[in-house]
Amino acid sequence: MESKIVFKDVSLEFDDHQNKGATFKELFANAFTLNNKEKNKHKRTVLNAINIEIKHGERLGIVGRNGAGKSTFLKTLCKIYEPSAGKITIQGNVAPLLEIGAGFNPELSGRENIYLNGAILGHDMSELKKLEAEIIDFAELNEYIDTPVKYYSTGMYLKLAFSIATAIKPEILVLDELFAGGDAEFVAKAKKRMENFIAESSIMVFVSHQLDLLQELCTRVIWIDKGKIIADGEPEAIIDLYLNKEAHD
């Protein structure tokens, strides 16, 4: 079965009123005291009627300024957020790498976190035992693998998280600013591994402010602004549009 992602009229709203540290008692009271007009005043649309189909073998890059909805798009794709409206259809298993070390227990060692994080990604114990040595080797953490990860640098977190997420080739790889903080040698290794995935006709969805990297790795780019897809097409053309708009704002 070929992998595919389809967003059909997908919208997402956040309730700013409920995100301001209100207590359960206050939220309960507000449910009865706020009328619909007042409730809607606190709603903020972060994705607005997104329609897109990402096909088998595509490498989709996403550009946009901070707060435009790029990371929210990824988190909705990965089912971290449930759409307020519309439907997302996914064919293929998704390996999300959205936040460095997300799902790691800082008190556990790197080795223990391989099994914890691997389980979160849906891998069973027998798979992870076979892959443990390869993960440690690729991450270049042999010396530190039995050290609690709370002592790891950002770069070490990055290496371990990427190595775990990509140990079993996913059909759909979702990345958010993966290479921020990575050393040049590891970035080269990671890019090579990603290129190998794509050669096997997986889907990659990739958010980055490193526009040269998007142009190098992606076959298609979308520009998101204020929760909407502004443009969709060839990487060089869309990145030029985006840069021209930013230059004139």
Side-chain angles (χ1 to χ4, degrees):
M1 181 180 69
E2 293 194 341
S3 51
K4 185 167 71 171
I5 301 166
V6 179
F7 277 57
K8 187 179 173 87
D9 296 322
V10 172
S11 294
L12 178 66
E13 291 182 335
F14 286 157
D15 191 330
D16 286 338
H17 184 83
Q18 293 186 3
N19 288 337
K20 292 180 180 177
T23 65
F24 178 79
K25 182 178 179 181
E26 289 168 335
L27 294 175
F28 185 78
N30 286 338
F32 292 96
T33 58
L34 294 177
N35 59 37
N36 286 335
K37 186 176 180 180
E38 288 173 321
K39 288 177 182 176
N40 288 335
K41 280 198 306 185
H42 298 292
K43 289 190 180 295
R44 177 167 53 96
T45 300
V46 288
L47 293 180
N48 192 345
I50 297 287
N51 286 286
I52 188 170
E53 180 175 333
I54 309 166
K55 297 178 181 178
H56 190 74
E58 285 195 304
R59 295 176 280 178
L60 179 72
I62 305 175
V63 298
R65 60 181 62 184
N66 290 333
K70 306 184 302 297
S71 293
T72 303
F73 176 89
L74 295 189
K75 288 178 180 179
T76 307
L77 165 59
C78 295
K79 300 183 179 179
I80 295 170
Y81 296 145
E82 187 71 23
S84 306
K87 183 180 179 182
I88 301 172
T89 304
I90 300 172
Q91 295 176 3
N93 68 297
V94 177
L97 192 54
L98 304 183
E99 297 173 5
I100 300 308
F104 283 2
N105 183 326
E107 301 299 327
L108 298 181
S109 70
R111 191 186 307 275
E112 290 167 326
N113 271 291
I114 288 174
Y115 291 92
L116 174 62
N117 203 241
I120 291 170
L121 292 173
H123 306 321
D124 62 38
M125 185 69 73
S126 60
E127 281 180 315
L128 293 168
K129 281 183 177 178
K130 293 175 185 175
L131 293 167
E132 179 187 319
E134 192 274 336
I135 290 170
I136 295 168
D137 183 60
F138 190 88
E140 303 168 354
L141 290 173
N142 290 277
E143 187 177 347
Y144 304 100
I145 198 61
D146 292 309
T147 300
V149 299
K150 66 182 179 182
Y151 298 117
Y152 282 16
S153 66
T154 300
M156 292 164 74
Y157 261 82
L158 166 71
K159 291 177 178 182
L160 186 59
F162 181 83
S163 300
I164 296 168
T166 59
I168 297 175
K169 292 180 174 60
E171 291 164 305
I172 300 169
L173 185 61
V174 181
L175 311 164
D176 191 355
E177 291 295 356
L178 172 65
F179 300 118
D183 62 75
E185 185 178 347
F186 186 77
V187 167
K189 281 176 57 176
K191 284 168 62 178
K192 182 65 177 176
R193 178 171 280 201
M194 288 165 59
E195 288 164 0
N196 289 340
F197 286 166
I198 299 309
E200 296 174 11
S201 296
S202 304
I203 287 174
M204 180 182 73
V205 184
F206 184 25
V207 164
S208 181
H209 289 289
Q210 300 176 67
L211 302 183
D212 56 337
L213 193 59
L214 288 176
Q215 201 158 314
E216 179 184 349
L217 292 177
C218 298
T219 57
R220 175 185 178 191
V221 166
I222 61 172
W223 169 18
I224 292 181
D225 192 45
K226 297 178 181 177
K228 295 182 178 180
I229 295 178
I230 304 298
D232 179 350
E234 294 290 326
E236 185 175 357
I238 302 304
I239 289 170
D240 283 347
L241 275 177
Y242 169 65
L243 290 175
N244 287 335
K245 178 66 165 57
E246 289 295 290
H248 290 91
D249 279 355

